[in-house]
């Protein structure tokens, strides 16, 4: 080893000397060294990818700014790794071989390797901390960095969420009109201090001018209506166009809800740039545009993505997280919790959401950190106070009307509806996305968004319940009718003696009046419209969340059922169902509660969440007494939806895209054995292996280049096939190329040695290349008769990437995560080639 | 000379004080506008429902202080007030203003940059290097997408100051990444569909 370092140092000095003699070419020194010292300054998220960053440079046409005379020395030899050559100069005093232990784009990480890497690092720090005070401080700051990171993530996500809330609210109202006292006020804030608002029309004040009023001068009449209608469509088109064009131009990864991808990333997949700076900026900006364009989508899912981007970017600041993919995923798990926490103002619900829905590996430590981060985020959002009413969400409700046991029946009915709708929605949406993926429709993403936005605006405007934004609609539906309300939904007939009865503001059951009937059929139309438009909206190339549309559908259905129940009770006080608990004059049925239960049921049907959903809903309402109805509805909806297909919308999208996601919830109950799944199959050529000594660099390179495998087992000899270890392709290539650059005498004829001690060689032979350091000496092995269910369990629980199969101690084959996924797809009668990535 | 400097400094100080005073006054003004007590009073007997808003502090936020003029007489006041719901609300119009203006400026900058990248830059380059080289560079990249016209022509023919070069390289690499992303999302539909 010391010999190796010494030779490196010699080489480095030699390079330095050469560099010195070439000082007349200033581009050389700074052009290459500076870049190497800041290799990932502008990188999106591949901060670990030092070699990758420099690889990009040499691989492509943009040669560094050198005059052609120096090129012979700097151009790299083409290597086999995606045609990329490695970096030409590396500072050997820091990290001997940069890029070792990193991953390529669209690959899966090895959790075991990452975790052991972190443990080694930790051990190193602990060992050093006993030696000096500085090292002790370092170890303390290292231990503390996790919490500090959480604090920063919470602050940043909370602030961003507040900004998104304010901007989205304002831009949504922009479709209707403009505030004359300050264009930055939305409708509500425009009339904040105005005393001209009336009880009937609470949001009308002279400061707020609709476009029709501004243009025609009058707020009444057909002309003003037409102008308003046109302006609404125009703004909707403009916003959606801007959203889709920005996504297309700057960050294509910013489209969609992001939760399926985050789920996959948390399970160990790598999508470079998916959580980067540009994705964050574009997603934040376009999310506001997309939400305000009136499309049937919400901001809750994308907020999870935004929070994860924040976390990933902030991970740059801490070496502990920058260099370790597994540690980074712990932070991302917590960030997912933060996202939901700010989206619904539900910190505990967020933590549970992360645990139940998105996370793959969720140790207790992450639970506490998520909790802390969610708390900080909620607090930040609260101090921004985006809605001006000290609430974190628009549709916060607070009522404490009691419910009766009999009402469980309609709640379960709502659960059945939610489950049916969830199953139907998943089927329809996946079918539509398949069409988008495979037919010509997918070639016109911009036009698609524009058409859907135009259609939405055109149909939505005439109906006041679809015209308002999803969150406002939900808020109105959740709201219970009291004397204070004057909306159409509360258009009951006033009993003659209302002013004399009681003191409080809650009302006894009343017969429905004209206004309520109008509201009911409008709501029914809105329900049909929302159900259909959401199917084609989700999955378009704009940031689009699913929570709000699903909740809106459920809330409408729930409200309709609630009003129905109320009227039923009013007209049948004496029937056996209502006798005893719903006497005349009592306020026994709360339609707002039904809306809430319906919303939970539909969201549960679509996403298949249970615990976290109930907690989120309960945090939204602040009423503990509704837990049982919510539980009943979500559980029913999950059962019903699971009867039609076991996967939720996110899993369905993961499957549609063919991401390598090993579903932890799914059970594997097929009786196959490891030998049935492993590669090579019987008809395939033999497994490509390296021997621990005796192969030359040229042979290794030939083997690597002739195959496309991501890793190679190392055996004692080809005859015995006894296993020594496992080497990853990327590590192998980087080390060989690096050695060729910097180690003297490494040529194609030098031998590659994986043993601890090199064999004695002929004196004139080139020095051997020692690669023991990059070999995984403890690869996981199973025997060929291991049942697959156990193997799958090993993969899931340990987060393995590959596992070697032996027979009588001899290496027989290899099973990768992809093989398992393909096998599972085959068992489920799906196309095994749908699994695309490694 | 020195005196001139001193006078300039004095002017600056005066200006700064003015600015600070202005900010303070703006803040103070904002504070008074940003609180309200909103009382919603439902219809009562023959009195219509009404909404009252007053700029009062939290402890004064009740029906008796806010509802002015009281629409009912004497003994009815208590009954009327019991039905009213008064809520104290606070907002920060400064935050709203800053957020909206920041949002709009970021959006505007992004749009300008997009326009620059798609329309202006190819045109500039055409003017700078003529037609033949442009075609060559397009061939190199082999893509007709906007942004595809990579900068290699520029970097090859000129050795520029280092800072510029670095920025250019970073930009170029970013563009290649975006292009790659766009290909996989929009053209090949392998991710995020």
């Amino acid at each position: 080893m010391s010999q190796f370092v010494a030779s490196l140092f010699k080489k480095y000095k030699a390079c330095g000397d050469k560099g010195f003699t070439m000082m007349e070419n200033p581009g050389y020194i700074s052009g290459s060294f500076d870049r190497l010292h800041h290799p990932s300054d502008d990188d999106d998220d591949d901060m670990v990818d030092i070699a990758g960053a420099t690889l990009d440079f040499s691989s492509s046409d943009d040669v560094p700014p050198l005059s052609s005379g120096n090129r012979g020395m700097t151009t790299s030899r083409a290597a086999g790794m995606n045609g990329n050559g490695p970096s030409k100069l590396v500072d050997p005093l820091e990290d001997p071989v940069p890029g070792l232990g990193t991953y390529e784009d669209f690959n899966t990480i090895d959790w075991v390797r990452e975790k052991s890497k972190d443990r080694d690092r930790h051990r190193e720090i602990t060992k050093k901390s006993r030696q000096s005070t500085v090292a002790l401080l370092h170890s303390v700051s290292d231990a503390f960095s996790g919490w500090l990171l959480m604090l920063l993530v919470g602050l940043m996500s909370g602030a961003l969420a507040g900004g998104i809330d304010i901007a989205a609210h304002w831009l949504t109202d922009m479709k209707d009109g403009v505030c004359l006292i300050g264009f930055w006020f939305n409708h509500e804030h425009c009339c904040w201090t105005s005393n001209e608002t009336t009880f009937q029309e609470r949001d009308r004040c002279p400061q707020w001018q609709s476009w029709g009023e501004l243009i025609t001068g009058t707020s009444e009449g057909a002309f003003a209506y037409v102008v308003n209608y046109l302006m609404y469509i125009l703004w909707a088109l403009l916003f959606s166009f801007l959203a889709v064009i920005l996504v297309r131009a700057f960050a294509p990864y910013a489209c969609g809800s992001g939760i399926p991808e985050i789920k996959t990333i948390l399970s160990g997949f790598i999508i470079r740039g998916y959580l980067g700076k540009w994705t964050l900026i574009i997603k934040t900006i376009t999310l506001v545009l997309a939400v305000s364009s009136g499309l049937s989508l919400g901001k809750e899912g994308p907020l999870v993505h935004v929070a994860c981007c924040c976390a990933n970017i902030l991970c740059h600041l801490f070496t502990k997280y920058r260099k370790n993919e597994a540690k980074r995923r712990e932070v991302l798990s917590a960030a997912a919790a933060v996202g939901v926490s700010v989206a619904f103002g539900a910190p505990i619900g967020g933590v549970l959401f992360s645990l139940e829905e998105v996370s793959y590996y969720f140790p207790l430590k992450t639970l506490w950190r998520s909790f802390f981060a969610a708390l900080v985020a909620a607090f930040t959002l609260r101090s921004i106070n985006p809605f001006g009413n000290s609430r974190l969400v628009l549709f916060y409700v607070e009522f404490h009307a009691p419910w009766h046991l009999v009402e469980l029946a309609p709640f379960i009915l709502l659960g059945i509806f939610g489950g049916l709708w969830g199953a139907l929605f998943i089927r329809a949406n996946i079918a539509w996305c398949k069409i988008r993926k495979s037919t010509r429709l997918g070639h016109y993403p911009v036009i698609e968004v524009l058409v859907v936005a135009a259609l939405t605006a055109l149909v939505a405007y005439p109906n006041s319940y679809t015209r308002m934004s999803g969150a406002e609609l939900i808020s109105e539906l959740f709201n219970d009718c009291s004397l204070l309300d004057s909306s159409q939904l509360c258009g009951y007939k006033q009993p003659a003696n209302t002013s004399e009865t009681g003191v409080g503001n809650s009302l006894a059951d009343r017969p429905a009046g004209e206004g309520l009937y109008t509201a009911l059929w409008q709501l029914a139309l809105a329900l049909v419209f929302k159900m259909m438009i959401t199917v084609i909206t989700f999955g378009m190339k704009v940031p689009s969340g699913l929570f709000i549309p699903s909740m809106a559908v459920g809330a409408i259905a729930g409200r309709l059922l609630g009003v129905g129940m109320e009227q039923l009770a009013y007209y049948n006080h004496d029937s056996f169902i209502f006798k005893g608990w719903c006497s005349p004059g009592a306020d026994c049925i709360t339609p707002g509660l039904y809306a809430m239960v319906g919303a939970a049921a539909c969201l549960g049907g679509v996403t298949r969440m249970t615990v976290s959903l109930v907690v989120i809903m309960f945090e939204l309402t602040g009423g503990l007494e509704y837990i049982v109805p919510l539980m009943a509805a979500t559980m029913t909806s999950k059962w019903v939806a699971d009867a039609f297909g076991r996967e939720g919308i996110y899993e369905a999208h993961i499957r549609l895209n063919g991401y390598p996601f090993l579903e932890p919830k799914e059970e594997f109950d097929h009786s196959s054995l490891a030998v049935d799944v492993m590669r090579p199959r019987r008809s395939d050529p033999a497994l490509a292996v390296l021997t621990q000594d005796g192969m030359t660099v040229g042979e290794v390179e030939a083997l690597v280049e002739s195959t496309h495998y991501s890793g190679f087992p190392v055996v004692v000899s080809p005859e015995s096939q006894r296993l020594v270890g496992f080497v990853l392709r990327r590590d192998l290539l980087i080390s060989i190329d690096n050695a060729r650059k910097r180690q003297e005498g490494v040529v194609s004829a030098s031998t590659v040695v994986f043993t601890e001690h090199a064999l004695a060689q002929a004196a004139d032979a080139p020095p051997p290349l020692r690669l023991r350091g990059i070999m995984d000496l403890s690869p996981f092995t199973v025997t060929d008769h291991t049942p697959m269910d156990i193997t799958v369990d090993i993969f899931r629980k340990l987060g393995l990437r590959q596992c070697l199969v032996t027979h009588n101690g001899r290496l027989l084959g290899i099973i990768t995560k992809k093989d398992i996924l393909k096998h599972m797809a085959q068992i489920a009668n799906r196309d095994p080639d749908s699994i695309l990535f490694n | 000379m020195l005196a001139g400097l001193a006078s300039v400094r004095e002017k600056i100080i005066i200006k700064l004080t003015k600015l600070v005073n202005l900010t303070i006054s703006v803040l103070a003004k904002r504070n008074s506008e940003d609180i309200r007590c909103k009382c919603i009073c439902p219809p009562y007997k023959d009195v219509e429902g009404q909404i009252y808003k007053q700029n009062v502090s939290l402890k004064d936020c009740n029906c008796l202080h806010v509802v002015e003029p009281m629409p009912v007489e004497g003994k009815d006041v208590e009954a009327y007030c019991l039905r009213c719901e008064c809520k104290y609300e606070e907002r920060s119009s400064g935050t709203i203003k800053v957020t909206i203006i920041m949002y709009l400026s970021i959006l505007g900058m992004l749009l300008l940059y997009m326009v620059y990248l798609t329309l202006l830059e190819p045109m500039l380059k055409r003017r700078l290097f003529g037609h033949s080289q442009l075609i060559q560079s397009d061939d190199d990249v082999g893509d007709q997408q906007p942004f595809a016209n990579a900068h290699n022509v520029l970097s090859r023919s000129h050795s520029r100051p280092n800072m510029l070069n670095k920025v250019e390289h970073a930009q170029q690499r970013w563009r290649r990444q975006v292009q790659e992303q766009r290909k996989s999302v929009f053209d090949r539909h392998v991710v995020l569909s």
Side-chain angles (χ1 to χ4, degrees), chain A residues 42-43 191-192 248 499 657, chain B residues 36 53 83 170 173 182 193:
Chain A
D42 52 332
D43 231 312
C191 304
W192 175 264
R248 202 184 134 79
S499 44
N657 282 312
Chain B
R36 70 171 177 189
K53 287 172 193 163
R83 290 156 176 273
R173 216 174 82 225
R182 194 181 304 126
S193 43

mmCIF file with all atom_site columns, all heavy atoms in Angstrom, chain A residues 42-43 191-192 248 499 657, chain B residues 36 53 83 170 173 182 193:
data_model
loop_
_atom_site.group_PDB
_atom_site.id
_atom_site.type_symbol
_atom_site.label_atom_id
_atom_site.label_alt_id
_atom_site.label_comp_id
_atom_site.label_asym_id
_atom_site.label_entity_id
_atom_site.label_seq_id
_atom_site.pdbx_PDB_ins_code
_atom_site.Cartn_x
_atom_site.Cartn_y
_atom_site.Cartn_z
_atom_site.occupancy
_atom_site.B_iso_or_equiv
_atom_site.pdbx_formal_charge
_atom_site.auth_seq_id
_atom_site.auth_comp_id
_atom_site.auth_asym_id
_atom_site.auth_atom_id
_atom_site.pdbx_PDB_model_num
ATOM 1   N N   . ASP A 1 42  ? -22.297 23.050 -9.634  1.00 0.00 ? 42  ASP A N   1
ATOM 2   C CA  . ASP A 1 42  ? -23.580 23.371 -10.246 1.00 0.00 ? 42  ASP A CA  1
ATOM 3   C C   . ASP A 1 42  ? -24.351 22.107 -10.509 1.00 0.00 ? 42  ASP A C   1
ATOM 4   O O   . ASP A 1 42  ? -25.277 22.080 -11.284 1.00 0.00 ? 42  ASP A O   1
ATOM 5   C CB  . ASP A 1 42  ? -23.320 24.111 -11.551 1.00 0.00 ? 42  ASP A CB  1
ATOM 6   C CG  . ASP A 1 42  ? -22.362 23.338 -12.401 1.00 0.00 ? 42  ASP A CG  1
ATOM 7   O OD1 . ASP A 1 42  ? -21.531 22.600 -11.824 1.00 0.00 ? 42  ASP A OD1 1
ATOM 8   O OD2 . ASP A 1 42  ? -22.428 23.428 -13.596 1.00 0.00 ? 42  ASP A OD2 1
ATOM 9   N N   . ASP A 1 43  ? -23.905 21.087 -9.865  1.00 0.00 ? 43  ASP A N   1
ATOM 10  C CA  . ASP A 1 43  ? -24.567 19.830 -10.149 1.00 0.00 ? 43  ASP A CA  1
ATOM 11  C C   . ASP A 1 43  ? -25.925 19.802 -9.494  1.00 0.00 ? 43  ASP A C   1
ATOM 12  O O   . ASP A 1 43  ? -26.137 20.407 -8.477  1.00 0.00 ? 43  ASP A O   1
ATOM 13  C CB  . ASP A 1 43  ? -23.726 18.721 -9.555  1.00 0.00 ? 43  ASP A CB  1
ATOM 14  C CG  . ASP A 1 43  ? -23.476 17.668 -10.575 1.00 0.00 ? 43  ASP A CG  1
ATOM 15  O OD1 . ASP A 1 43  ? -24.414 17.263 -11.211 1.00 0.00 ? 43  ASP A OD1 1
ATOM 16  O OD2 . ASP A 1 43  ? -22.359 17.283 -10.741 1.00 0.00 ? 43  ASP A OD2 1
ATOM 17  N N   . CYS A 1 191 ? -60.704 42.765 0.423   1.00 0.00 ? 191 CYS A N   1
ATOM 18  C CA  . CYS A 1 191 ? -61.852 43.249 1.201   1.00 0.00 ? 191 CYS A CA  1
ATOM 19  C C   . CYS A 1 191 ? -61.616 43.053 2.688   1.00 0.00 ? 191 CYS A C   1
ATOM 20  O O   . CYS A 1 191 ? -62.551 42.924 3.473   1.00 0.00 ? 191 CYS A O   1
ATOM 21  C CB  . CYS A 1 191 ? -63.102 42.498 0.780   1.00 0.00 ? 191 CYS A CB  1
ATOM 22  S SG  . CYS A 1 191 ? -63.453 42.604 -0.964  1.00 0.00 ? 191 CYS A SG  1
ATOM 23  N N   . TRP A 1 192 ? -60.376 42.982 3.083   1.00 0.00 ? 192 TRP A N   1
ATOM 24  C CA  . TRP A 1 192 ? -60.026 42.686 4.475   1.00 0.00 ? 192 TRP A CA  1
ATOM 25  C C   . TRP A 1 192 ? -60.623 43.702 5.439   1.00 0.00 ? 192 TRP A C   1
ATOM 26  O O   . TRP A 1 192 ? -61.253 43.352 6.435   1.00 0.00 ? 192 TRP A O   1
ATOM 27  C CB  . TRP A 1 192 ? -58.504 42.686 4.574   1.00 0.00 ? 192 TRP A CB  1
ATOM 28  C CG  . TRP A 1 192 ? -57.931 42.514 5.941   1.00 0.00 ? 192 TRP A CG  1
ATOM 29  C CD1 . TRP A 1 192 ? -57.534 43.501 6.771   1.00 0.00 ? 192 TRP A CD1 1
ATOM 30  C CD2 . TRP A 1 192 ? -57.671 41.299 6.616   1.00 0.00 ? 192 TRP A CD2 1
ATOM 31  N NE1 . TRP A 1 192 ? -57.027 42.972 7.927   1.00 0.00 ? 192 TRP A NE1 1
ATOM 32  C CE2 . TRP A 1 192 ? -57.109 41.610 7.869   1.00 0.00 ? 192 TRP A CE2 1
ATOM 33  C CE3 . TRP A 1 192 ? -57.862 39.956 6.300   1.00 0.00 ? 192 TRP A CE3 1
ATOM 34  C CZ2 . TRP A 1 192 ? -56.721 40.654 8.790   1.00 0.00 ? 192 TRP A CZ2 1
ATOM 35  C CZ3 . TRP A 1 192 ? -57.480 38.998 7.226   1.00 0.00 ? 192 TRP A CZ3 1
ATOM 36  C CH2 . TRP A 1 192 ? -56.927 39.344 8.445   1.00 0.00 ? 192 TRP A CH2 1
ATOM 37  N N   . ARG A 1 248 ? -41.194 22.035 -19.405 1.00 0.00 ? 248 ARG A N   1
ATOM 38  C CA  . ARG A 1 248 ? -40.539 21.463 -20.573 1.00 0.00 ? 248 ARG A CA  1
ATOM 39  C C   . ARG A 1 248 ? -39.164 22.072 -20.802 1.00 0.00 ? 248 ARG A C   1
ATOM 40  O O   . ARG A 1 248 ? -38.212 21.374 -21.149 1.00 0.00 ? 248 ARG A O   1
ATOM 41  C CB  . ARG A 1 248 ? -41.424 21.705 -21.782 1.00 0.00 ? 248 ARG A CB  1
ATOM 42  C CG  . ARG A 1 248 ? -41.173 20.765 -22.915 1.00 0.00 ? 248 ARG A CG  1
ATOM 43  C CD  . ARG A 1 248 ? -42.028 21.153 -24.096 1.00 0.00 ? 248 ARG A CD  1
ATOM 44  N NE  . ARG A 1 248 ? -41.213 21.125 -25.278 1.00 0.00 ? 248 ARG A NE  1
ATOM 45  C CZ  . ARG A 1 248 ? -40.888 20.025 -25.921 1.00 0.00 ? 248 ARG A CZ  1
ATOM 46  N NH1 . ARG A 1 248 ? -41.310 18.868 -25.480 1.00 0.00 ? 248 ARG A NH1 1
ATOM 47  N NH2 . ARG A 1 248 ? -40.133 20.063 -26.985 1.00 0.00 ? 248 ARG A NH2 1
ATOM 48  N N   . SER A 1 499 ? -86.070 32.984 15.212  1.00 0.00 ? 499 SER A N   1
ATOM 49  C CA  . SER A 1 499 ? -85.325 33.952 16.009  1.00 0.00 ? 499 SER A CA  1
ATOM 50  C C   . SER A 1 499 ? -85.597 33.790 17.493  1.00 0.00 ? 499 SER A C   1
ATOM 51  O O   . SER A 1 499 ? -84.832 34.282 18.311  1.00 0.00 ? 499 SER A O   1
ATOM 52  C CB  . SER A 1 499 ? -85.670 35.368 15.562  1.00 0.00 ? 499 SER A CB  1
ATOM 53  O OG  . SER A 1 499 ? -87.058 35.466 15.390  1.00 0.00 ? 499 SER A OG  1
ATOM 54  N N   . ASN A 1 657 ? -44.354 2.691  -14.925 1.00 0.00 ? 657 ASN A N   1
ATOM 55  C CA  . ASN A 1 657 ? -43.065 3.187  -15.391 1.00 0.00 ? 657 ASN A CA  1
ATOM 56  C C   . ASN A 1 657 ? -41.968 2.137  -15.326 1.00 0.00 ? 657 ASN A C   1
ATOM 57  O O   . ASN A 1 657 ? -40.863 2.386  -15.796 1.00 0.00 ? 657 ASN A O   1
ATOM 58  C CB  . ASN A 1 657 ? -42.643 4.397  -14.552 1.00 0.00 ? 657 ASN A CB  1
ATOM 59  C CG  . ASN A 1 657 ? -43.370 5.636  -14.983 1.00 0.00 ? 657 ASN A CG  1
ATOM 60  O OD1 . ASN A 1 657 ? -43.439 5.922  -16.159 1.00 0.00 ? 657 ASN A OD1 1
ATOM 61  N ND2 . ASN A 1 657 ? -43.938 6.355  -14.039 1.00 0.00 ? 657 ASN A ND2 1
ATOM 62  N N   . ARG B 2 36  ? -57.793 42.876 12.359  1.00 0.00 ? 36  ARG B N   1
ATOM 63  C CA  . ARG B 2 36  ? -59.202 43.233 12.285  1.00 0.00 ? 36  ARG B CA  1
ATOM 64  C C   . ARG B 2 36  ? -59.967 42.346 13.245  1.00 0.00 ? 36  ARG B C   1
ATOM 65  O O   . ARG B 2 36  ? -59.539 41.234 13.574  1.00 0.00 ? 36  ARG B O   1
ATOM 66  C CB  . ARG B 2 36  ? -59.754 43.068 10.877  1.00 0.00 ? 36  ARG B CB  1
ATOM 67  C CG  . ARG B 2 36  ? -59.880 41.626 10.447  1.00 0.00 ? 36  ARG B CG  1
ATOM 68  C CD  . ARG B 2 36  ? -60.643 41.508 9.141   1.00 0.00 ? 36  ARG B CD  1
ATOM 69  N NE  . ARG B 2 36  ? -60.696 40.109 8.714   1.00 0.00 ? 36  ARG B NE  1
ATOM 70  C CZ  . ARG B 2 36  ? -61.141 39.725 7.548   1.00 0.00 ? 36  ARG B CZ  1
ATOM 71  N NH1 . ARG B 2 36  ? -61.563 40.605 6.663   1.00 0.00 ? 36  ARG B NH1 1
ATOM 72  N NH2 . ARG B 2 36  ? -61.185 38.445 7.219   1.00 0.00 ? 36  ARG B NH2 1
ATOM 73  N N   . LYS B 2 53  ? -66.637 45.021 10.757  1.00 0.00 ? 53  LYS B N   1
ATOM 74  C CA  . LYS B 2 53  ? -65.183 44.871 10.879  1.00 0.00 ? 53  LYS B CA  1
ATOM 75  C C   . LYS B 2 53  ? -64.641 46.109 11.554  1.00 0.00 ? 53  LYS B C   1
ATOM 76  O O   . LYS B 2 53  ? -64.990 47.231 11.182  1.00 0.00 ? 53  LYS B O   1
ATOM 77  C CB  . LYS B 2 53  ? -64.538 44.747 9.497   1.00 0.00 ? 53  LYS B CB  1
ATOM 78  C CG  . LYS B 2 53  ? -64.793 43.424 8.823   1.00 0.00 ? 53  LYS B CG  1
ATOM 79  C CD  . LYS B 2 53  ? -64.292 43.474 7.406   1.00 0.00 ? 53  LYS B CD  1
ATOM 80  C CE  . LYS B 2 53  ? -64.822 42.297 6.629   1.00 0.00 ? 53  LYS B CE  1
ATOM 81  N NZ  . LYS B 2 53  ? -64.687 42.514 5.198   1.00 0.00 ? 53  LYS B NZ  1
ATOM 82  N N   . ARG B 2 83  ? -75.613 36.059 19.554  1.00 0.00 ? 83  ARG B N   1
ATOM 83  C CA  . ARG B 2 83  ? -75.605 35.330 18.293  1.00 0.00 ? 83  ARG B CA  1
ATOM 84  C C   . ARG B 2 83  ? -74.440 35.699 17.399  1.00 0.00 ? 83  ARG B C   1
ATOM 85  O O   . ARG B 2 83  ? -74.090 34.949 16.495  1.00 0.00 ? 83  ARG B O   1
ATOM 86  C CB  . ARG B 2 83  ? -76.899 35.625 17.518  1.00 0.00 ? 83  ARG B CB  1
ATOM 87  C CG  . ARG B 2 83  ? -78.082 35.004 18.150  1.00 0.00 ? 83  ARG B CG  1
ATOM 88  C CD  . ARG B 2 83  ? -79.325 35.761 17.751  1.00 0.00 ? 83  ARG B CD  1
ATOM 89  N NE  . ARG B 2 83  ? -80.471 35.093 18.282  1.00 0.00 ? 83  ARG B NE  1
ATOM 90  C CZ  . ARG B 2 83  ? -81.074 34.102 17.630  1.00 0.00 ? 83  ARG B CZ  1
ATOM 91  N NH1 . ARG B 2 83  ? -80.659 33.750 16.453  1.00 0.00 ? 83  ARG B NH1 1
ATOM 92  N NH2 . ARG B 2 83  ? -82.103 33.504 18.165  1.00 0.00 ? 83  ARG B NH2 1
ATOM 93  N N   . ALA B 2 170 ? -20.585 25.052 -17.007 1.00 0.00 ? 170 ALA B N   1
ATOM 94  C CA  . ALA B 2 170 ? -21.648 24.632 -16.096 1.00 0.00 ? 170 ALA B CA  1
ATOM 95  C C   . ALA B 2 170 ? -22.987 24.716 -16.801 1.00 0.00 ? 170 ALA B C   1
ATOM 96  O O   . ALA B 2 170 ? -23.806 23.790 -16.759 1.00 0.00 ? 170 ALA B O   1
ATOM 97  C CB  . ALA B 2 170 ? -21.640 25.527 -14.868 1.00 0.00 ? 170 ALA B CB  1
ATOM 98  N N   . ARG B 2 173 ? -23.381 21.973 -19.304 1.00 0.00 ? 173 ARG B N   1
ATOM 99  C CA  . ARG B 2 173 ? -23.644 20.665 -18.746 1.00 0.00 ? 173 ARG B CA  1
ATOM 100 C C   . ARG B 2 173 ? -25.076 20.586 -18.245 1.00 0.00 ? 173 ARG B C   1
ATOM 101 O O   . ARG B 2 173 ? -25.749 19.586 -18.406 1.00 0.00 ? 173 ARG B O   1
ATOM 102 C CB  . ARG B 2 173 ? -22.679 20.397 -17.605 1.00 0.00 ? 173 ARG B CB  1
ATOM 103 C CG  . ARG B 2 173 ? -22.301 18.956 -17.580 1.00 0.00 ? 173 ARG B CG  1
ATOM 104 C CD  . ARG B 2 173 ? -21.249 18.686 -16.578 1.00 0.00 ? 173 ARG B CD  1
ATOM 105 N NE  . ARG B 2 173 ? -21.811 18.536 -15.268 1.00 0.00 ? 173 ARG B NE  1
ATOM 106 C CZ  . ARG B 2 173 ? -21.285 19.113 -14.197 1.00 0.00 ? 173 ARG B CZ  1
ATOM 107 N NH1 . ARG B 2 173 ? -20.235 19.865 -14.312 1.00 0.00 ? 173 ARG B NH1 1
ATOM 108 N NH2 . ARG B 2 173 ? -21.836 18.929 -13.034 1.00 0.00 ? 173 ARG B NH2 1
ATOM 109 N N   . ARG B 2 182 ? -35.419 15.742 -20.760 1.00 0.00 ? 182 ARG B N   1
ATOM 110 C CA  . ARG B 2 182 ? -36.559 15.976 -21.635 1.00 0.00 ? 182 ARG B CA  1
ATOM 111 C C   . ARG B 2 182 ? -36.776 14.795 -22.552 1.00 0.00 ? 182 ARG B C   1
ATOM 112 O O   . ARG B 2 182 ? -37.891 14.379 -22.797 1.00 0.00 ? 182 ARG B O   1
ATOM 113 C CB  . ARG B 2 182 ? -36.329 17.252 -22.439 1.00 0.00 ? 182 ARG B CB  1
ATOM 114 C CG  . ARG B 2 182 ? -37.590 17.729 -23.108 1.00 0.00 ? 182 ARG B CG  1
ATOM 115 C CD  . ARG B 2 182 ? -37.370 18.961 -23.913 1.00 0.00 ? 182 ARG B CD  1
ATOM 116 N NE  . ARG B 2 182 ? -36.810 20.043 -23.128 1.00 0.00 ? 182 ARG B NE  1
ATOM 117 C CZ  . ARG B 2 182 ? -35.702 20.692 -23.453 1.00 0.00 ? 182 ARG B CZ  1
ATOM 118 N NH1 . ARG B 2 182 ? -35.035 20.346 -24.539 1.00 0.00 ? 182 ARG B NH1 1
ATOM 119 N NH2 . ARG B 2 182 ? -35.273 21.672 -22.721 1.00 0.00 ? 182 ARG B NH2 1
ATOM 120 N N   . SER B 2 193 ? -44.303 8.929  -16.526 1.00 0.00 ? 193 SER B N   1
ATOM 121 C CA  . SER B 2 193 ? -45.435 9.017  -17.442 1.00 0.00 ? 193 SER B CA  1
ATOM 122 C C   . SER B 2 193 ? -46.707 8.608  -16.738 1.00 0.00 ? 193 SER B C   1
ATOM 123 O O   . SER B 2 193 ? -46.663 7.979  -15.727 1.00 0.00 ? 193 SER B O   1
ATOM 124 C CB  . SER B 2 193 ? -45.214 8.168  -18.659 1.00 0.00 ? 193 SER B CB  1
ATOM 125 O OG  . SER B 2 193 ? -44.690 6.950  -18.281 1.00 0.00 ? 193 SER B OG  1
#
